[in-house]
Amino acid sequence: MNGKAIAIAALGGILLAGNAGATVAYNTTLASPNGSPPDLGTSTSGNNASWFNGSGNPQGGFTVVTDNGIELGLRAKQRGQLPIYWNSDNLYYVPTGLSGGAAFWNYEFSIDVRPGGVGAHTLSEYVFGLTISDGVNTQTVNPVTYWTDDSYYGNTAGNTMVAKHVGGLIASDWVAQNSENPKFGDYPLAGFFDPNAQGVYTFTLTAALASAPTEILASDTMVVSTPEPASLAVLGFACLGLIGARRRRTA
């Protein structure tokens, strides 16, 4: 089975399971960087919520791994909206196409080395990797240093966050987050990403100590799929048919 067939089959499982009564986890939250309750609404610049990457980025829908005192989060979403997220296999469905010169979807990461405000570690003690693959091409960057406009937490008086902090990592930071669009030229997906084509992309976020960069302490993975609209429609009609058959049997 090729990547396209796998993605369509996986998405079919999501739709079928969802219509069978399973819960789609739109509200998977990250630990708040200062220990306060997560803000479940839309984040705004200056709050201390679990996801604080600027205004207009809704909370929820992350696949989250916490290991060895490190919390890593990944998600993909249609810009300005919560993602379609499936908890059992970390698959995100996103649409093809462009809006305002950018792809309809963003991929987003969160790194916290003091989950819930616990501990004394800082980002500078670690090395991080964000690897993106379409099954043929693979690119890896350090997401904490690759972009100069990450949102960091811990670098200002009172440990408040700085949205889209420009200038790079400061030694006292312990959280880094960003929302990136795969369309733009110098970003990791740009070399092999066609926003109008169907594709399957695997994202892996890792953390290791700077003193032992090959020893992975935490790793999070998600798969982003852009099935063809026609295939998605067929799956949708199949689900509706199953629902109708179930109702007829119940009657």
Side-chain angles (χ1 to χ4, degrees), residues 11 18 40 47 49 52 71 99 108 112 124 129 139 166 178 186 188 224 237 240:
L11 183 60
L40 299 181
N47 71 13
F52 49 70
E71 179 194 78
S99 175
E108 301 177 345
D112 188 348
S124 58
Q139 297 177 351
V166 176
N178 213 332
D186 63 343
V224 179
F237 284 124
L240 291 174

Side-chain angles (χ1 to χ4, degrees), residues 35 40 50 55 61 70 87 96 118 151 155 157 159 166 202 217 221 225:
L40 299 181
S50 56
S55 61
I70 302 168
N87 195 32
T96 56
V118 177
S151 291
N155 56 42
N159 290 327
V166 176
T202 301
L217 298 176
T221 299
S225 177

Side-chain angles (χ1 to χ4, degrees), residues 157-182:
N159 290 327
T160 55
M161 56 77 65
V162 176
K164 292 298 180 185
H165 174 65
V166 176
L169 180 66
I170 295 175
S172 60
D173 293 331
W174 71 81
V175 174
Q177 298 178 335
N178 213 332
S179 175
E180 295 297 337
N181 191 273

Side-chain angles (χ1 to χ4, degrees), residues 2 6 11 66 79 83 93 95-96 103 112 124 157 161-162 168 171 174 185 188 193 198 204 219 227:
N2 60 29
I6 291 171
L11 183 60
T66 303
R79 297 201 313 273
Y93 164 73
T96 56
D112 188 348
S124 58
M161 56 77 65
V162 176
W174 71 81
F193 174 70
Q198 186 231 349
T204 304
S219 178

Side-chain angles (χ1 to χ4, degrees), residues 38-49:
D39 174 4
L40 299 181
T42 298
S43 63
T44 56
S45 189
N47 71 13
N48 291 328

